[in-house]
Amino acid sequence: MLTAITRAVSSSLASCELSWLPREPIDIAKAIAEHHAYERCLAGLGARVISLPALDTHPDAVFVEDPAMVLDEVAVITTMGVESRRGERETLAAAIAPFRPLIYMRDPAKLEGGDVMRVGRHLFAGLSARTNEAGVAQLAAELARFGYEVHAVELRDCLHLKSACCCIGDGVVLVNRAWVDTSAFDRYRLIDVAPDEPGAANALRVGDTIVMPNAFPATADLLRREGFSVATLDMAELMKAESGVTCSSLLFDA
Ligand code: GLY
């Protein structure tokens, strides 16, 4: 069945890593309520939600997409690109271990799950401040035996590849082309975000529904006009921590 691993919001979220946003006060109670609504949304769309306890010493630990990637055959436990997040992976790996064999990435490779977009057997890995060439090469070497092809992608002006583009359907990618070089995946059908909503490409496909923040109404309308079913959530406080909808869960069949 569709399974989602999530982790409760840390009380220290306001001390999170920030790369492109100014630091603003975060209302933790509201962030917790937003995260609960996100978990309810996933459950309402058919997912069994496994919610891990908060790691209060790790402000960004709610963003479980970054320390791990769960594929059909195996899970990859990543080497995070920032020191402050390196302590997140052990308890997350323990939660994934009942479902998949684990591969641990090793230094000097750096890679964060938010930088990896999967389209079928192709994995597109963004060369961001968090993911380096060695990380992409190690991912490719580890996953070749499972039949995955890994392609490096250049990006700019954003945190992760999935800030700039996400796969929202079979061979369909929602994209902000100002932030990513699409030449590695322009064989797919690309749908551009609305011009005034550069952050709208981070969208989570759950079954036949696209989940996205309610901060991007023009892109949500555009997707509905294209025939997608779209569910929107208030993520205002979580987004102050440079969050998106993909980074707060690991979704897989188990
Ligand atoms: N605050 C999300 C991150 O920088 O990892």
Side-chain angles (χ1 to χ4, degrees):
M1 70 181 300
L2 182 64
T3 300
I5 293 181
T6 61
R7 191 195 288 285
V9 174
S10 303
S11 58
S12 56
L13 179 67
S15 304
C16 65
E17 294 285 339
L18 288 175
S19 303
W20 295 94
L21 295 181
R23 194 166 298 279
E24 290 182 68
I26 295 178
D27 180 333
I28 294 295
K30 187 160 184 290
I32 290 170
E34 289 171 4
H35 190 256
H36 284 156
Y38 174 84
E39 291 177 324
R40 283 197 304 276
C41 175
L42 297 184
L45 293 172
R48 161 182 55 166
V49 178
I50 299 173
S51 184
L52 306 180
L55 278 185
D56 286 330
T57 51
H58 290 86
D60 287 294
V62 62
F63 305 129
V64 290
E65 176 182 61
D66 297 320
M69 296 167 41
V70 184
L71 301 170
D72 293 343
E73 305 83 357
V74 70
V76 178
I77 308 302
T78 69
T79 38
M80 300 284 291
V82 281
E83 252 343 280
S84 69
R85 300 199 59 186
R86 288 221 161 182
E88 298 173 18
R89 73 180 199 163
E90 294 310 330
T91 50
L92 187 58
I96 298 168
F99 302 107
R100 297 288 192 275
L102 304 181
I103 293 173
Y104 282 85
M105 294 188 72
R106 305 161 304 279
D107 285 323
K110 290 187 180 24
L111 183 131
E112 297 194 358
D115 274 321
V116 182
M117 176 177 74
R118 176 180 173 184
V119 187
R121 308 303 286 183
H122 294 271
L123 300 178
F124 298 91
L127 292 167
S128 70
R130 304 285 185 88
T131 293
N132 61 13
E133 302 258 11
V136 177
Q138 197 175 102
L139 188 70
E142 292 287 357
L143 295 181
R145 71 190 124 131
F146 301 106
Y148 291 98
E149 284 182 41
V150 179
H151 314 270
V153 178
E154 298 285 344
L155 65 153
R156 57 197 162 269
D157 299 342
C158 60
L159 176 57
H160 286 130
L161 179 66
K162 278 193 274 192
S163 313
C165 57
C166 283
C167 181
I168 58 168
D170 297 335
V172 184
V173 176
L174 180 64
V175 63
N176 171 3
R177 296 183 209 232
W179 287 354
V180 63
D181 174 4
T182 59
S183 57
F185 53 86
D186 60 10
R187 78 196 88 159
Y188 303 123
R189 178 179 168 217
L190 303 185
I191 298 179
D192 295 285
V193 297
D196 294 338
E197 297 179 351
N202 186 267
L204 179 66
R205 179 189 186 189
V206 187
D208 292 330
T209 300
I210 308 304
V211 178
M212 54 190 299
N214 64 7
F216 306 119
T219 303
D221 282 348
L222 180 158
L223 291 178
R224 289 189 182 102
R225 285 197 301 277
E226 292 282 346
F228 290 88
S229 167
V230 180
T232 60
L233 290 169
D234 178 8
M235 306 279 290
E237 295 305 304
L238 291 168
M239 286 170 70
K240 292 177 186 171
E242 223 160 0
S243 157
V245 283
T246 63
C247 63
S248 295
S249 61
L250 287 167
L251 275 180
F252 54 91
D253 284 314

